[in-house]
Amino acid sequence: MKIRCVQGDITKVTADIIVNAANTSLLGGGGVDGAIHKAGGKTILEECIKIRNKQGGCKTGEAVITTGGLLPAKYVIHTVGSVWNGGSNNEEELLKNCYSNSLKLAKEHNAKSIAFPNISTGIYKFPKEKAALIAVNTIKENPIIDEVIFVCYDDENYGVYKKLLYMFVMI
Ligand code: ADP
């Protein structure tokens, strides 16, 4: 398994699957969610609405899949990160579930590569270093996809991931 981080816009990344930090409504929102729906076109939202009508949205920590619409990726996995609320409300376990459930779903769709944004570290206010540790550890515990790319948008996340992945290679 190869793990790396890049800085940039996840909608431009060529991977079999990109992951969206969605919300429970699956109807789109701000941040990376807004960027994915804007770049991916309306079919992604139409598929999200179908899923919502069938199962009533997506719970925190769970993941659903749509096609990639106009994006370079074949599929988009929509997972719902946990809102940081001090840390004693199961936030860490729920964020871990986002990564493990996304990996499982990606494997079921025969993905060889998957790109993750820094789930929960924007509007949901999860501490960035803590979130990155959970992300990298969960990937290490579930080495089922050949290539994992962390796409960091802001400088702080990119710095945190570079440091963490460097340590990971050393260990
Ligand atoms: P959440 O609600 O899960 O916190 P956000 O979209 O607010 O989701 O933020 C999650 C992360 O996505 C943040 O680190 C933010 O900097 C990043 N982000 C925002 N736009 C993009 C983009 N186009 N590509 C990749 N990451 C993005």
Side-chain angles (χ1 to χ4, degrees), residues 8-11 21-22 30-33 35 81 117-125 128 151-154 157:
D9 177 355
I10 200 164
T11 65
V32 70
D33 196 7
N118 308 133
I119 302 166
S120 284
T121 66
I123 299 157
Y124 285 0
K125 298 215 161 14
K128 291 181 179 173
V151 183
C152 306
Y153 197 65
D154 57 273
N157 265 316

Side-chain angles (χ1 to χ4, degrees):
M1 181 184 53
K2 277 195 291 183
I3 308 183
R4 63 193 169 97
C5 65
V6 297
Q7 187 168 24
D9 177 355
I10 200 164
T11 65
K12 306 256 179 2
V13 171
T14 303
D16 291 340
I17 294 186
I18 66 166
V19 176
N20 180 18
N23 58 54
T24 53
S25 78
L26 294 177
L27 295 178
V32 70
D33 196 7
I36 287 174
H37 281 288
K38 191 166 172 226
K42 64 176 181 0
T43 57
I44 298 179
L45 184 61
E46 284 165 4
E47 289 177 51
C48 281
I49 290 170
K50 274 194 198 137
I51 296 167
R52 183 184 151 89
N53 289 342
K54 210 165 101 190
Q55 66 175 56
C58 182
K59 294 197 183 92
T60 304
E62 294 185 0
V64 299
I65 192 164
T66 65
T67 56
L70 303 171
L71 298 168
K74 287 192 207 110
Y75 297 101
V76 178
I77 287 179
H78 307 261
T79 186
V80 181
S82 43
V83 179
W84 182 259
N85 221 330
S88 50
N89 298 282
N90 214 22
E91 291 95 330
E92 298 195 31
E93 191 61 33
L94 290 168
L95 184 60
K96 191 178 173 61
N97 293 347
C98 288
Y99 286 95
S100 56
N101 285 327
S102 297
L103 288 169
K104 277 186 212 131
L105 197 51
K107 185 72 184 170
E108 285 165 19
H109 287 76
N110 298 315
K112 298 274 178 281
S113 57
I114 183 167
F116 285 98
N118 308 133
I119 302 166
S120 284
T121 66
I123 299 157
Y124 285 0
K125 298 215 161 14
F126 210 104
K128 291 181 179 173
E129 191 132 6
K130 234 187 238 305
L133 255 174
I134 291 168
V136 173
N137 281 331
T138 309
I139 302 302
K140 277 164 53 180
E141 286 164 19
N142 298 275
I144 53 176
I145 304 291
D146 294 349
E147 187 181 11
V148 177
I149 308 158
F150 290 109
V151 183
C152 306
Y153 197 65
D154 57 273
D155 295 342
E156 191 187 341
N157 265 316
Y158 186 49
V160 167
Y161 272 85
K162 271 198 298 192
K163 195 179 74 186
L164 253 181
L165 293 182
Y166 177 72
M167 280 160 45
F168 169 58
V169 170
M170 300 298 282
I171 297 162

